[in-house]
Amino acid sequence: VEGGGYVYTSTDGGATWTNPAVLTSACTDLTVAVDGSVWANIGGRTYYSPNGNDNTWVEISKSLATGTDLPRTNGRQKYSVSAQDPNTVYCVQTAGNELGGLYRSGDRGVTWELIRGKSALFDPLCSSQCQGIWNLLIGVSPFDKDHVFLAGITIWEWKRSAGWRQVDSQFI
């Protein structure tokens, strides 16, 4: 499904497939957590399902986001869920080819905090050129839910206890 396909689910081992009614736009990112919960970017909106089954999908993002909401986006977005604690979810959004923001939720998407947005001195998706629509990776350490890696042109890591640090200067 990732890359512009649609989300389909099966409850009979793959003999038949259905598209959940709320997921009628193209899916550009889908992440399955260790507990079976599913996060999907459908048309710039973030959807969550505790198990991926029909009628369990809810939109988490908001069109009029406040300080603790995850905004909808016209850009690309990817998710990473902590294997240590599936309540901890990260979402990176782009604004065109540049970083839109890195968000973190500690309660499965009920509330979100903006960890960092683009600034004049910080944009891991840009170096001599910006590549956010092509090069975009995010991953949570399996040992520390507060340690995340963000990669575009360069690789950065964020730790709640230490902040940001550039790990590599040239990812591609």
Side-chain angles (χ1 to χ4, degrees), residues 83-168:
Q84 183 187 44
D85 177 10
N87 291 313
T88 303
V89 182
Y90 292 86
C91 175
V92 61
Q93 296 180 340
T94 65
N97 279 326
E98 301 174 347
L99 178 65
L102 176 63
Y103 297 86
R104 180 188 184 278
S105 176
D107 54 15
R108 286 190 197 253
V110 175
T111 60
W112 294 84
E113 65 177 301
L114 174 63
I115 294 174
R116 183 79 190 250
K118 176 190 178 300
S119 72
L121 299 175
F122 179 81
D123 192 342
L125 309 182
C126 298
S127 183
S128 60
Q129 59 182 341
C130 298
Q131 302 249 338
I133 62 172
W134 294 284
N135 304 336
L136 183 62
L137 296 170
I138 184 171
V140 184
S141 166
F143 310 107
D144 181 357
K145 67 182 181 179
D146 293 320
H147 184 190
V148 66
F149 294 90
L150 178 61
I153 297 294
T154 57
I155 302 174
W156 291 74
E157 69 177 341
W158 175 82
K159 294 182 181 180
R160 184 173 290 283
S161 61
W164 287 96
R165 181 178 78 89
Q166 188 170 353
V167 177
D168 192 2

Side-chain angles (χ1 to χ4, degrees), residues 44-46 59-66 68-74 77 79 91 93 100-101 103 112 114:
R45 299 176 181 193
T46 296
E59 183 182 355
I60 299 293
S61 54
K62 306 287 188 212
S63 60
L64 299 173
T66 64
T68 60
D69 294 329
L70 180 67
R72 290 179 180 168
T73 181
N74 290 325
Q77 58 186 353
Y79 312 95
C91 175
Q93 296 180 340
Y103 297 86
W112 294 84
L114 174 63

